[in-house]
Amino acid sequence: MTAPRPLRATGMPAPTVDYLIRCDEVCKQVALSRSSIYAAIAAGDFPRPVQLGSNSVAWLQSEVSAWVACRIAQRNKAQY
């Protein structure tokens, strides 16, 4: 169970901080190669990267974490 996000003075939840991670870090976190990640993106099975410059991309950490959590949920569902 996750703790609720703290409320601001307005009564609204405080925004969560998200950050960008580069391809090497994504590869480590999901245990896939760069080419496997781009193949999964092309198939619509992996989050698309954010374009940072003409030759530079990164992924939102929250989207990569959600993808991993989804894979774990699929595994757990298949076990029962």
Side-chain angles (χ1 to χ4, degrees):
M1 184 170 145
T2 60
R5 291 180 18 207
L7 296 179
R8 294 183 287 181
T10 61
M12 298 296 292
T16 57
V17 177
D18 205 356
Y19 54 96
L20 297 170
I21 55 174
R22 301 298 299 266
C23 193
D24 290 342
E25 182 63 26
V26 174
C27 291
K28 288 178 190 175
Q29 289 188 20
V30 301
L32 293 173
S33 68
R34 181 183 303 261
S35 59
S36 294
I37 289 170
Y38 279 101
I41 291 168
D45 296 330
F46 196 82
R48 292 176 46 218
V50 175
Q51 191 76 38
L52 301 177
S54 60
N55 295 318
S56 181
V57 297
W59 282 259
L60 283 168
Q61 173 61 50
S62 61
E63 292 178 352
V64 174
S65 294
W67 183 88
V68 170
C70 185
R71 296 297 144 321
I72 293 169
Q74 287 175 348
R75 180 208 57 190
N76 292 343
K77 189 176 183 180
Q79 289 179 352
Y80 299 106

